[in-house]
Amino acid sequence: MAKRTFDLLAGALLGVVALPFVAAGALVSAVCLRSWPFFVQQRVGLGGRSFRIVKIRTLPVATPRYIDKHGLADVPIPAPMRAMRRVHLDELPQIYLAVLGTMSLVGPRPEMRHLHESMQPGVAEARVSVRPGCTGLWQVSDLASELISQGTKLDLLYIEHRSMRFDLWILFRTVFIALGLAKPVSVDRLPTWIDHVEERPERRVGPVVSVAASIGSGDVTGVDSGRR
């Protein structure tokens, strides 16, 4: 309840602050791409239910709808849209989804259905046990340049140790990185007050099942290669 209350109050405030930036971003998108400036895509949310995520459009309309970031190398993205993606301005409309309760301000990033289903069952179950986030530990990490499925160890670490303090740290870190005032953090550089799973294995409960193993082995995909 505390997290939901925070999402509602902080999200409403951030939504007001973000409104002019959303409007400006939508205008630039409409002019540059000559299309409706908002992009809607189905993602997997709490309890495995599908929901519609909203972004400011930054890719040409002809871009395949479910292309991943590694497939964007040959896509001609206008410079203003690249800048918008670099500072995550295109993600701001999701703040309003946090107010509505579809998402949270902080949590695992929602994945596309086909990629969610390719994850190891325990990982997939854990990720949908909480609301997906507008930002999360993956976004502020040095794995953010990779696919969401390649940073699932960070999702599991967050789920295991989520707290209001952790959420605030991620939120502030997100802002600082977007403004160029901080660099992405690596797993071994997380704040000392975060109780690492591998140091307290007895705390691994429920669906959070292989965090220590994945961190220790370097396996960060959480993907069942036999199902891909």
Side-chain angles (χ1 to χ4, degrees), residues 5-200:
T5 300
F6 177 77
D7 284 342
L8 186 59
L9 298 179
L13 177 61
L14 290 172
V16 173
V17 174
L19 188 57
F21 296 97
V22 173
L27 178 61
V28 172
S29 175
V31 171
C32 288
L33 300 177
R34 300 180 181 277
S35 177
W36 177 248
F38 294 102
F39 175 75
V40 180
Q41 188 182 61
Q42 292 288 331
R43 295 289 180 99
V44 180
L46 181 65
R49 295 183 292 273
S50 295
F51 74 100
R52 293 187 297 177
I53 197 172
V54 182
K55 300 183 179 184
I56 297 174
R57 184 183 297 276
T58 56
L59 302 177
V61 177
T63 305
R65 191 169 187 80
Y66 288 94
I67 190 172
D68 63 44
K69 63 174 63 179
H70 293 333
L72 297 178
D74 298 324
V75 176
I77 306 175
M81 301 295 95
R82 288 188 181 276
M84 192 179 300
R85 291 174 65 86
R86 186 169 59 252
V87 298
H88 303 289
L89 181 62
D90 58 319
E91 308 280 359
L92 288 181
Q94 293 160 39
I95 293 174
Y96 307 107
L97 296 181
V99 175
L100 294 174
T102 307
M103 296 180 67
S104 177
L105 290 176
V106 181
R109 282 298 292 171
E111 187 58 283
M112 293 179 278
R113 173 68 65 179
H114 69 284
L115 292 177
H116 169 77
E117 292 177 348
S118 72
M119 293 179 181
Q120 295 173 357
V123 173
E125 181 183 354
R127 293 186 83 255
V128 299
S129 67
V130 297
R131 283 188 177 87
C134 301
T135 186
L137 188 56
W138 171 74
Q139 285 94 320
V140 301
S141 77
D142 54 4
L143 295 178
S145 60
E146 304 297 333
L147 300 177
I148 295 174
S149 59
Q150 293 175 299
T152 54
K153 68 175 181 179
L154 297 177
D155 291 333
L156 298 178
L157 184 60
Y158 168 77
I159 293 168
E160 178 77 0
H161 300 287
R162 62 190 184 276
S163 67
M164 189 59 64
R165 185 181 183 184
F166 206 171
D167 282 8
L168 289 173
W169 181 83
I170 291 173
L171 283 171
F172 281 111
R173 192 85 185 183
T174 300
V175 174
F176 292 155
I177 291 175
L179 295 177
L181 301 177
K183 295 182 178 180
V185 65
S186 61
V187 174
D188 58 351
R189 297 284 185 175
L190 291 174
T192 56
W193 47 263
I194 296 176
D195 187 12
H196 288 278
V197 175
E198 62 268 39
E199 296 173 353
R200 295 285 300 279

